[in-house]
Amino acid sequence: MDKTVSPDAISTILSNPSPDSSSDIPEIVVQVLDLKLTGNRYMFNASDGKKRLKAILPSNLSSEVISGNIQNKGLIRLLDYALNEIPTKSEKYLIVTKCEVVSPALEMEIKIEVKSDESGIIFKPKQEDEVKKDGPGIVLKPKQEMVAKSAAQILRDQNGNMAPAARLAMTRRVHPLVSLNPYQGNWTIKVRVTSKGNMRTYKNARGEGCVFNVELTDEDGTQIQATMFNEAARKFYDRFQLGKVYYISRGTLRVANKQFKTVQNDYEMNLNENSEVEEAVNETAFIPQTKFNFVPIDELGRYVNGTELVDIIGVVQNVSPTMSIRRKSNNEMVPKRDITVADETKRTVTVSLWNELATNVGQELLDNADKSPIVAIKSLKVGDFQGISLSTLGRSTVLVSPDLPEAKKLKSWYESEGKGTSMASIGSGLGSLAKNGARSMYSDRVSLTHITSNPSLGDEKPVFFSIKAYISLIKPDQAMWYRACKTCNKKVTDALGSGYWCEGCQKNDEECSLRYIMVARVCDGSGEAWISIFNEEAERIIGCSADELNELKSQLGDDNSYQMKLKEVTWVPHLLRVSVAQQEYNNEKRQRVTVRAVAPVDFAAESKFLLEEISKKVSHQNA
């Protein structure tokens, strides 16, 4: 087959802006031109050689661009799409919801010369045509008269006509969640409620109100969070039942608030009192595909005490009996069960199952613990109990022996190698490091460039990483310490008369101590960065206390012992646990990297870590 565009592909799209199903779409092959990343989505011009149409790839297709499958000047075949009008602009956008690659990048743009006599061709509007069939008054109306139906209309058709499900599927346009965007007009979705929150009350400057959220999942496994306030919350709270399937229309979308984001979707949905929510009866076969974004156990450290939830897959190593824990908020007793899981990183982590998950799934795991079942768990909170631990929430999902490629691969590894391998807890060996927010030096190692090239890191809350770096410069003329109270370590000022005044202790003291507060430049193979270092960590790097370094600085002589001491500690490798946060300076946010823990390089452990990293990359390339 010739690798070229379909004749008049753009005209075909414009005449059929919202196909009812993929079977209604003819052969449409377009060329991708001017492909570029705009925000978090890729946009391009779809061309048939004569005309162009602006097009958007949903975020779930971004991987096709990143992997090189979809290329600029390449060809794609449209398998499903929607043509949307943006109210603020007098143009239409093609939303490509499903496509396949026909050809990688061609040498040049395809251009088809338009013949001059074509300008004289006049097409009558399709809406004026009626196709009649010999028979008792049967009239087939043109396709354009089929408008998008609301949830209520779909249910009226279903209950009034009692038509077979197959016929109904052809007479309605149910949009996949991945195709929705804030600029879209009427749409109807069919989703299952996979999580339902409690009704909450709030009070702010605008008054009091109530709100609740649900998480919705369509048949493709795409999720979205829907929020309802006040009248809408009271109207739909009882109607939405966990596990049931609904048709929903007349909602609005907006860009998701990252701070409160619980599902992987660029948008979140708002339903008001005029929205339509109707239960889809007889939809027991509608089973959304649960989509996971698995995080290896040895990389959990970067998510500790963060807002982002994680998914894991692992082999169950141990299952505890059910325990009863008293909840602090209401003094209620709730069931809890801990399980220990391991994965191919040869690390284990404890997962706490709560409520029904502890009594139901937990009991199933206990009964089959000797068979080392595989579990896939979605939406886990990462905490710092015993170093690093995981905990289920109300929206968490636990699948036992799931039918997933990752599960089969993990089972094969465990049977052939993992069963006889020594496993180490992700939280083991942290000791006092856990007290100051530090984690394992090997749990989530990154390069300096990973930190410096992501200026938004730590925008909402500090994030933690481990690095291996060299101290390359400590400026000797900086203010390297401050005078501190010997009791509380807070800064002191000169007291009236003599001694030092501590505001924290509200007292005078004749003596004070010096505590480090310094900056240093560090570097690794990828780049360099400036880091802030405080007292305990600075003492480990410098090798002496601030008081001792101050004595060296005050010594007179040709050999400047102070500067020599600082030079001695440069170009020495260290393992550093750092936090990354945003700091406002002159009304401008800047990234601040602070050392939270320091450890010398154990070259045997470091070599083992590097060999494991190389092995992972080789395995990934061969997969």
Side-chain angles (χ1 to χ4, degrees), residues 592-612:
R592 184 177 185 181
V593 183
T594 304
V595 176
R596 300 297 180 180
V598 180
V601 177
D602 181 334
F603 290 100
E606 185 71 14
S607 299
K608 182 180 178 182
F609 169 76
L610 293 175
L611 287 171
E612 289 178 353

Side-chain angles (χ1 to χ4, degrees), residues 54-83:
K54 291 188 176 181
I56 300 174
L57 290 173
S59 56
N60 68 311
L61 291 179
S62 296
S63 59
E64 294 294 302
V65 180
I66 296 171
S67 64
N69 291 336
I70 297 178
Q71 300 178 3
N72 192 45
K73 295 185 180 179
L75 303 179
I76 60 172
R77 179 180 291 107
L78 304 185
L79 302 178
D80 195 13
Y81 66 85
L83 192 63

Side-chain angles (χ1 to χ4, degrees), residues 416-488:
S416 62
E417 178 187 348
K419 190 181 295 184
T421 301
S422 176
M423 304 283 185
S425 170
I426 184 65
S428 64
L430 297 182
S432 62
L433 297 184
K435 296 180 181 178
N436 59 9
R439 304 289 171 253
S440 168
M441 292 296 187
Y442 296 98
S443 63
D444 48 343
R445 176 78 66 82
V446 299
S447 65
L448 285 173
T449 300
H450 176 83
I451 298 174
T452 56
S453 63
N454 290 276
S456 61
L457 280 176
D459 191 22
E460 299 168 5
K461 191 175 182 179
V463 291
F464 293 86
F465 299 104
S466 298
I467 61 174
K468 177 196 168 189
Y470 291 82
I471 304 292
S472 60
L473 176 64
I474 300 175
K475 291 182 178 180
D477 55 348
Q478 66 175 297
M480 294 188 62
W481 46 70
Y482 68 95
R483 294 183 297 182
C485 172
K486 286 191 171 184
T487 303
C488 67

Side-chain angles (χ1 to χ4, degrees), residues 32-98:
V32 176
L33 299 177
D34 306 322
L35 180 64
K36 62 181 179 180
L37 181 64
T38 303
N40 55 2
R41 296 191 175 204
Y42 283 92
M43 300 185 67
F44 66 97
N45 283 314
S47 170
D48 63 2
K50 298 179 184 177
K51 298 180 180 179
R52 288 187 177 192
L53 185 62
K54 291 188 176 181
I56 300 174
L57 290 173
S59 56
N60 68 311
L61 291 179
S62 296
S63 59
E64 294 294 302
V65 180
I66 296 171
S67 64
N69 291 336
I70 297 178
Q71 300 178 3
N72 192 45
K73 295 185 180 179
L75 303 179
I76 60 172
R77 179 180 291 107
L78 304 185
L79 302 178
D80 195 13
Y81 66 85
L83 192 63
N84 294 337
E85 291 188 11
I86 298 181
T88 57
K89 299 180 180 181
S90 58
E91 54 188 336
K92 297 181 178 181
Y93 276 76
L94 172 67
I95 311 297
V96 181
T97 54
K98 192 175 181 181

Side-chain angles (χ1 to χ4, degrees), residues 193 196-197 199 212-214 226-242 246-251 270-278:
V193 177
K196 179 182 176 180
M199 183 78 80
F212 89 101
N213 309 88
V214 290
T227 303
M228 288 140 280
F229 290 90
N230 302 323
E231 290 301 322
R234 289 184 280 269
K235 177 180 179 180
F236 295 123
Y237 184 77
D238 292 330
R239 188 174 304 180
F240 276 124
Q241 298 296 317
L242 188 65
Y246 297 88
Y247 291 108
I248 301 175
S249 60
R250 296 189 179 180
N270 270 54
L271 300 179
N272 57 43
E273 57 269 27
N274 296 319
S275 299
E276 294 185 353
V277 176
E278 299 289 343

Side-chain angles (χ1 to χ4, degrees), residues 524-592:
D524 64 8
S526 68
E528 61 181 13
W530 287 96
I531 60 174
S532 299
I533 313 171
F534 295 103
N535 195 61
E536 286 78 7
E537 292 74 28
E539 285 183 352
R540 294 189 181 96
I541 292 174
I542 303 295
C544 65
S545 67
D547 288 299
E548 293 170 329
L549 190 61
N550 183 46
E551 286 186 19
L552 294 178
K553 188 175 184 180
S554 61
Q555 290 177 3
L556 301 176
D558 295 333
D559 56 331
N560 194 323
S561 302
Y562 168 70
Q563 294 200 19
M564 288 297 296
K565 184 65 175 177
L566 296 183
K567 286 184 179 180
E568 285 175 7
V569 301
T570 58
W571 302 113
V572 176
H574 296 277
L575 296 180
L576 305 173
R577 186 71 187 177
V578 299
S579 66
V580 184
Q582 297 292 322
Q583 185 180 44
E584 193 164 309
Y585 182 76
N586 288 338
N587 295 323
E588 180 182 349
K589 282 191 174 183
R590 293 183 179 181
Q591 192 179 72
R592 184 177 185 181

